[in-house]
Amino acid sequence: MIHTFVLFCLFFWRLIGVFSESVSVMEGDSVTLNTDLTEIPEDDEILWKYGAEKSLIAQIRRAAGVFSTSDVPDGRFRDRLKLDRQTGSLTITNTRTEHTGEYQLEIRRAKLSSQTYHVSVYARLPVPVITRDCSSSSSSSQQNCSLLCSVVNVGHVTLSWYKGHSLLSSISVSDLSISLSLPLEVEYQEKNSYSCVINNPITNQTTHLDISKLCQPCSEVHIHSCDTVEAVMRLVVTALMGVASAAAAVLLLNDVRSARG
């Protein structure tokens, strides 16, 4: 009974130092994963590991004078890892989305202390583009303006239409490098403010809709087409009249010659 109790205490004692934390960062920025130490004890060994394979990317063995970083086989950490020699904290510079993943810190001493960081690196967001969709046909097309808000090459984002501060519609995607479009119909004389917003968990980009500039009745396009058709018809009629006049002149000339004969 005493033996079992001692084993349980040892097991619990070793698990006390297990922690987990989530960290988010924008692509291109640096992120520092802290050990929460102010100074590394002489006999401590610090290991940083990455990914499901727990690839060793940094280690400190102060007693042996070891302070080193190493890359993974695909080279994603090349020239990007920096170790703080005093605290053992690890900094990843110029981050990319490929640095998203799980980082494990192990501090080996009499008690094994372990901390896991779940790092998410988000790509910088493009500005949404709002365009007019004259190809859209609806029963109320004479009163409404059909619009599309679009973004390209995005991932892990939400694209939304807002009327003032009220959400009208949205679409989310968890894939990488995909194109998104979200439609909206408004009245030509609408006075409310609309905006299209793309966001991820740490940032957003917004484009505001200027109805007066973007929404012009599609009928103007048809009027322009009618004007073009009318101009073409005028040319045709003029040409036909020219042919008719020439034919009449030929007939008149033949009549004159006949009378002289």
Side-chain angles (χ1 to χ4, degrees):
M1 181 70 179
I2 295 177
H3 179 67
T4 303
F5 178 76
V6 171
L7 287 177
F8 173 78
C9 287
L10 287 173
F11 179 75
F12 181 76
W13 173 65
R14 288 178 65 83
L15 287 181
I16 289 178
V18 178
F19 303 96
S20 179
E21 184 178 338
S22 295
V23 179
S24 297
V25 63
M26 286 297 298
E27 187 176 43
D29 293 341
S30 297
V31 59
T32 298
L33 310 179
N34 295 303
T35 62
D36 296 328
L37 297 174
T38 55
E39 189 173 356
I40 305 169
E42 187 70 24
D43 296 329
D44 278 10
E45 182 179 4
I46 292 179
L47 304 176
W48 285 99
K49 300 178 180 180
Y50 171 73
E53 299 80 10
K54 299 192 184 304
S55 302
L56 183 65
I57 58 174
Q59 63 175 323
I60 295 176
R61 287 186 288 132
R62 191 164 186 176
V66 175
F67 296 85
S68 65
T69 60
S70 53
D71 206 347
V72 292
D74 63 12
R76 70 182 65 189
F77 293 110
R78 184 177 295 117
D79 301 325
R80 284 187 166 92
L81 298 178
K82 293 184 178 181
L83 265 178
D84 188 309
R85 287 174 169 261
Q86 181 174 339
T87 66
S89 296
L90 179 69
T91 298
I92 309 164
T93 63
N94 192 21
T95 55
R96 293 290 179 264
T97 54
E98 62 190 13
H99 298 132
T100 293
E102 186 175 285
Y103 295 77
Q104 186 178 48
L105 164 67
E106 290 183 4
I107 302 177
R108 296 183 177 179
R109 53 175 70 137
K111 179 183 70 173
L112 174 63
S113 176
S114 177
Q115 181 159 339
T116 300
Y117 289 90
H118 301 279
V119 176
S120 298
V121 182
Y122 292 94
R124 296 190 179 277
L125 298 177
V127 177
V129 175
I130 301 176
T131 55
R132 179 70 188 280
D133 183 17
C134 266
S135 64
S136 176
S137 59
S138 66
S139 58
S140 57
S141 59
Q142 296 302 316
Q143 292 81 32
N144 288 357
C145 173
S146 297
L147 303 164
L148 275 180
C149 180
S150 305
V151 287
V152 296
N153 298 326
V154 293
H156 305 289
V157 298
T158 298
L159 186 66
S160 308
W161 274 110
Y162 284 86
K163 180 178 181 180
H165 297 289
S166 300
L167 177 65
L168 296 178
S169 61
S170 66
I171 182 172
S172 299
V173 62
S174 58
D175 298 328
L176 291 174
S177 298
I178 197 171
S179 298
L180 289 178
S181 292
L182 193 61
L184 177 71
E185 277 204 357
V186 298
E187 293 184 359
Y188 290 124
Q189 305 303 320
E190 181 72 68
K191 298 301 182 182
N192 289 301
S193 61
Y194 290 86
S195 58
C196 184
V197 181
I198 182 174
N199 71 280
N200 58 31
I202 59 176
T203 189
N204 65 77
Q205 289 278 16
T206 301
T207 298
H208 296 282
L209 170 64
D210 189 333
I211 296 179
S212 62
K213 288 184 178 180
L214 192 59
C215 283
Q216 298 297 330
C218 282
S219 58
E220 292 185 0
V221 177
H222 300 315
I223 291 172
H224 176 73
S225 299
C226 288
D227 290 342
T228 303
V229 171
E230 184 180 353
V232 172
M233 291 181 65
R234 285 176 179 174
L235 288 175
V236 171
V237 170
T238 301
L240 290 175
M241 290 177 64
V243 171
S245 298
V250 170
L251 290 175
L252 180 60
L253 181 59
N254 288 336
D255 290 342
V256 171
R257 286 176 178 176
S258 299
R260 287 179 179 179

